Amino acid sequence: MRRMTKIIAAIALCFAALTSCRHKELCLHHPHTANVRIDVDWSGFEKEVPTGMTVMVYDDNGDLVESHLTNTTTHAYVSLEAGTYHSIVYNQSTSEFGSVKFNGMDNYATAEVCTRPVVSKWYKTKAEEERVGADPEWIGADRVENSVVTPEMVDETTEHFVLESKTRAGREMSYVIAEHHPLNIIYTVYVTIHVDGIYNLRSARASLEGLAEGYVFHKEGPTASIVTQLLESWDMTQDKTDPTKGYVTSKITCFGLPDGHKGLPEENPFVFSALLVDNATIAQFPFEVGDKFRKRVVDGVEQEMEYEIELWLSVPLPDVPPAGGSSSGFDAIVEEWGDEIEQNIQM
């Protein structure tokens, strides 16, 4: 009997040792993180259906802990330790944009997207610090702050791991810690210029200074830094009753007005240049339009991300003989022009 007791005790000790070794092995190898899910709803973006998205997760100190690029645009799975997190979502990846660049993305406080600088053949910057920027592509973005991963989430994920149900824990048993609703962050500025003597106009171009250089993700707003953007494609419409009058229109995309903009005229210099039909005379008309940005109204509805600027030339374009003896027509795209002649206008 005593011998049988010793045998049973030995078997029990062996089983306990095997179990302990198995448990220690699992404890050494399981990730000590919670499997969590970040949900994303793109219905408010409205510009285009993204084919992919980037999810960036930062810890409470602002340091990047997870950067996740996925073709699944409804959600993303990540593994996180217990703690508090902030997350940023935007469409596509940084490499898929040609006209913008992403800066400081390794920290939540510095993450921003800015327009790429461009070199113009015709526009000459007025100061060394002036930057000329490209028209940005459509970007949808959102941020969520203070998402919490609890120790209980980690414990439950670990429990499923130990039970060898890691796949089920990562999908069926994940925890939703954030719900993103990305919106368009890119503005459109529409410009209309009324012109007397419009039959003398061959082509047009313009520059608009004082626009926001970019967008700060954690502020959900524009940068204080500014750029100049160029309007190089214009459409002309002549008045049906008086063909000597009419207007030209153009538009650009941008990051809107900069942080701290006060609506003062001088904050946004605008210069309209007109190449006349003699293909030689260039008239230049300077404006200050910082107080002229108006929300665009379509069918009685104010458009949140659209501005319009409407201007009038107070002097007619001068009469010049058309090149070749006849009107050469209006060119929508900027060509190589000669030197500009500045025309003073009444504001």
Side-chain angles (χ1 to χ4, degrees):
M1 184 67 180
R2 184 177 297 174
R3 184 177 180 183
M4 181 61 68
T5 302
K6 290 181 178 180
I7 293 173
I8 294 172
I11 294 173
L13 287 170
C14 289
F15 180 78
L18 289 172
T19 303
S20 176
C21 291
R22 172 67 170 165
H23 180 71
K24 286 180 180 178
E25 182 181 354
L26 288 170
C27 286
L28 287 172
H29 291 89
H30 78 69
H32 297 279
T33 57
N35 294 303
V36 300
R37 192 174 82 236
I38 295 174
D39 286 346
V40 185
D41 175 12
W42 289 94
S43 61
F45 182 35
E46 297 181 345
K47 291 300 180 181
E48 59 189 14
V49 178
T51 57
M53 68 177 182
T54 299
V55 179
M56 308 194 77
V57 182
Y58 302 84
D59 64 20
D60 201 28
N61 294 321
D63 296 323
L64 179 66
V65 296
E66 181 79 25
S67 181
H68 193 63
L69 173 63
T70 175
N71 291 329
T72 301
T73 57
T74 57
H75 59 270
Y77 292 102
V78 293
S79 295
L80 299 173
E81 297 177 354
T84 302
Y85 297 90
H86 316 308
S87 51
I88 293 172
V89 171
Y90 54 87
N91 57 314
Q92 311 306 100
S93 69
T94 58
S95 63
E96 291 179 276
F97 292 96
S99 62
V100 299
K101 57 181 181 176
F102 292 78
N103 302 324
M105 300 302 290
D106 58 343
N107 189 276
Y108 185 66
T110 60
E112 64 180 22
V113 56
C114 293
T115 177
R116 285 189 180 277
V118 297
V119 177
S120 172
K121 292 182 179 179
W122 64 269
Y123 182 77
K124 302 297 187 289
T125 56
K126 301 176 181 63
E128 184 177 348
E129 64 272 13
E130 182 182 359
R131 294 182 294 275
V132 180
D135 292 8
E137 299 118 314
W138 299 119
I139 302 174
D142 185 39
R143 64 103 167 96
V144 172
E145 295 183 338
N146 300 318
S147 301
V148 177
V149 176
T150 66
E152 289 76 18
M153 295 178 185
V154 175
D155 290 343
E156 289 194 29
T157 300
T158 301
E159 180 182 347
H160 286 285
F161 186 94
V162 172
L163 294 174
E164 298 182 344
S165 301
K166 183 180 179 183
T167 300
R168 183 161 57 89
R171 297 298 181 262
E172 296 176 10
M173 299 299 293
S174 60
Y175 304 90
V176 178
I177 63 166
E179 296 182 3
H180 283 270
H181 301 272
L183 300 176
N184 170 44
I185 64 171
I186 301 300
Y187 287 82
T188 305
V189 178
Y190 295 83
V191 179
T192 299
I193 300 178
H194 298 270
V195 180
D196 193 359
I198 198 168
Y199 56 90
N200 286 306
L201 182 62
R202 175 187 173 95
S203 188
R205 64 193 184 192
S207 61
L208 177 56
E209 300 177 46
L211 295 171
E213 183 180 20
Y215 176 90
V216 183
F217 286 104
H218 84 274
K219 291 183 177 179
E220 294 190 321
T223 60
S225 57
I226 59 175
V227 293
T228 298
Q229 289 185 227
L230 307 179
L231 295 89
E232 298 182 311
S233 180
W234 292 79
D235 294 317
M236 183 177 76
T237 302
Q238 287 184 278
D239 192 293
K240 293 181 180 179
T241 59
D242 185 355
T244 67
K245 301 180 184 298
Y247 58 89
V248 291
T249 58
S250 186
K251 65 180 180 179
I252 56 171
T253 57
C254 66
F255 287 102
L257 298 173
D259 184 28
H261 192 273
K262 298 178 176 61
L264 302 176
E266 61 270 20
E267 291 181 281
N268 298 97
F270 178 89
V271 178
F272 176 73
S273 298
L275 176 66
L276 304 188
V277 292
D278 62 359
N279 205 28
T281 304
I282 300 170
Q284 186 183 82
F285 301 88
F287 294 85
E288 292 181 338
V289 301
D291 60 339
K292 293 179 171 57
F293 287 84
R294 302 286 183 267
K295 288 294 180 65
R296 189 166 179 252
V297 177
V298 179
D299 296 329
V301 179
E302 191 175 84
Q303 305 301 300
E304 181 64 28
M305 301 298 291
E306 296 181 0
Y307 287 116
E308 59 183 0
I309 299 172
E310 190 169 15
L311 303 170
W312 283 260
L313 302 186
S314 63
V315 295
L317 294 179
D319 289 329
V320 294
S326 62
S327 176
S328 54
F330 180 77
D331 292 331
I333 306 298
V334 169
E335 300 176 333
E336 293 293 333
W337 294 5
D339 295 332
E340 297 191 356
I341 302 172
E342 184 170 332
Q343 297 282 344
N344 294 322
I345 64 171
Q346 299 176 2
M347 300 299 294

